[in-house]
Amino acid sequence: QLADTVGSAFAAWRDAKEIGRAAVRGLEAEQAAEKAAEAAEEVGRLRTNLDTASAELAEARREADQAKAAHAAAAEEAEIATKSSASARHDLSAATAELAELRRVADEAKAAHATAVEEAREIEQGSTSMRSDLDAAVSELAELRHVADQA
């Protein structure tokens, strides 16, 4: 649009120049003035169009700059999100490994507990058996004392 406007302005200037030459060659002054006024109006319209096109171009540049800034911000956020995601994956992997280790330790602790419970039962059974043997020995000793006392 800017190029069209500049082209039209140039054509209007050329027309105005031609009008001026025609007036010099002897055309009627009134016709020359009319054509000059029309040319001046056309130049005014073209100048307005040029100003409008310049304003639109400036606005388009501002919008392009804003779009570039938004794109840069989005790219930065995407990079941060990618790094955050990688960090989260690493943390998840570490937590999974730690969980597996804790499960292994818990399984070992359960096995150790089961073994300790079994050993405690065996000790209790052995203790019960020893008590019985001790009670029998005490009874036998009491009986032997009784026999010794009578003798």
Side-chain angles (χ1 to χ4, degrees):
Q1 183 181 3
L2 182 60
D4 290 343
T5 302
V6 169
S8 296
F10 180 76
W13 173 79
R14 194 176 57 226
D15 290 345
K17 186 176 171 183
E18 195 59 40
I19 291 169
R21 284 184 185 158
V24 168
R25 281 184 257 155
L27 286 179
E28 292 182 11
E30 194 174 308
Q31 282 182 335
E34 245 179 63
K35 286 188 177 183
E38 288 173 5
E41 285 178 20
E42 180 65 18
V43 168
R45 282 193 298 275
L46 293 173
R47 200 172 269 147
T48 300
N49 289 345
L50 180 60
D51 291 345
T52 301
S54 294
E56 288 173 358
L57 179 61
E59 180 62 24
R61 284 184 178 149
R62 277 192 297 277
E63 288 175 1
D65 290 344
Q66 289 173 349
K68 285 179 188 175
H71 175 72
E76 187 176 333
E77 287 178 14
E79 184 178 341
I80 290 169
T82 300
K83 287 179 182 177
S84 178
S85 176
S87 176
R89 279 194 301 273
H90 174 74
D91 292 348
L92 178 60
S93 178
T96 301
E98 186 176 350
L99 179 60
E101 178 63 17
L102 289 173
R103 284 182 178 154
R104 187 190 63 74
V105 169
D107 290 343
E108 288 178 3
K110 286 177 186 176
H113 175 71
T115 301
V117 167
E118 185 60 33
E119 288 176 359
R121 282 188 193 135
E122 289 174 6
I123 291 170
E124 188 177 330
Q125 288 174 354
S127 175
T128 302
S129 176
M130 285 168 95
R131 279 191 194 131
S132 295
D133 291 348
L134 182 58
D135 288 345
V138 168
S139 292
E140 190 177 332
L141 182 59
E143 203 176 296
L144 288 174
R145 275 195 188 148
H146 178 66
V147 170
D149 284 344
Q150 286 180 355

